[in-house]
Amino acid sequence: MSKLAPFHLAFPVDDLQRARHFYGGVLGCAEGRSSAQWIDFDFFGHQIVTHLTPEKIIPQHNPVDGHAVPVPHFGVVLDWDAFHAFAARIEAAGVAFLIAPCIRFQGLAGEQATMFFLDPAGNALEFKAFRDPAALFAK
């Protein structure tokens, strides 16, 4: 696998100070540039930008392996041990899970640990890990 380039994602939030606290404080993402309308964060080596908008996010849901998965959502794939340490940190911070940390597709191609939660603006995030990183795109 070649070295991955960082992705860029810009998305709406309804309160920049709550976004700053959540992404910077709770998730531990370093803050980059900002203005009165947006904030950049280093999201596990990727650039995300929270843009102030008054619209509330209302995710839809699709069934995946017995769970109602929110759509749209974004996140990162962590290594196995980092996922479990991060899940414990998120739970200790009092973040409510939409889907608590669990193993999805158990015993199948693409078996993965996953969890979902919302940011304060209602954006859905998924963090996952594969016991075998080569299974990321397994069919």
Side-chain angles (χ1 to χ4, degrees):
M1 180 187 271
S2 64
K3 183 177 183 320
L4 292 175
F7 70 78
H8 165 81
L9 176 68
F11 56 94
V13 297
D14 58 358
D15 184 314
L16 286 177
Q17 291 309 314
R18 287 189 334 173
R20 178 174 275 127
H21 171 75
F22 182 78
Y23 288 97
V26 176
L27 298 187
C29 300
E31 186 174 325
R33 296 175 302 277
S34 66
S35 79
Q37 297 298 312
W38 53 268
I39 305 169
D40 279 353
F41 292 98
D42 177 345
F43 187 72
F44 300 85
H46 303 283
Q47 182 193 43
I48 62 170
V49 185
T50 57
H51 283 269
L52 184 60
T53 64
E55 298 171 18
K56 195 70 176 167
I57 307 303
I58 304 172
Q60 304 298 308
H61 295 85
N62 281 338
V64 178
D65 198 35
H67 291 106
V69 170
V71 178
H73 66 264
F74 68 93
V76 295
V77 178
L78 302 171
D79 74 34
W80 194 259
D81 292 336
F83 172 88
H84 293 287
F86 185 69
R89 193 172 102 220
I90 294 305
E91 188 168 20
V95 174
F97 292 106
L98 289 176
I99 299 174
C102 63
I103 305 299
R104 185 171 23 188
F105 306 125
Q106 198 157 10
L108 303 172
E111 180 176 337
Q112 60 194 259
T114 187
M115 64 180 149
F116 287 82
F117 50 87
L118 300 176
D119 76 3
N123 294 292
L125 289 87
E126 177 186 19
F127 290 84
K128 61 171 68 178
F130 293 82
R131 213 180 295 272
D132 174 9
L136 181 62
F137 297 109
K139 293 184 179 185

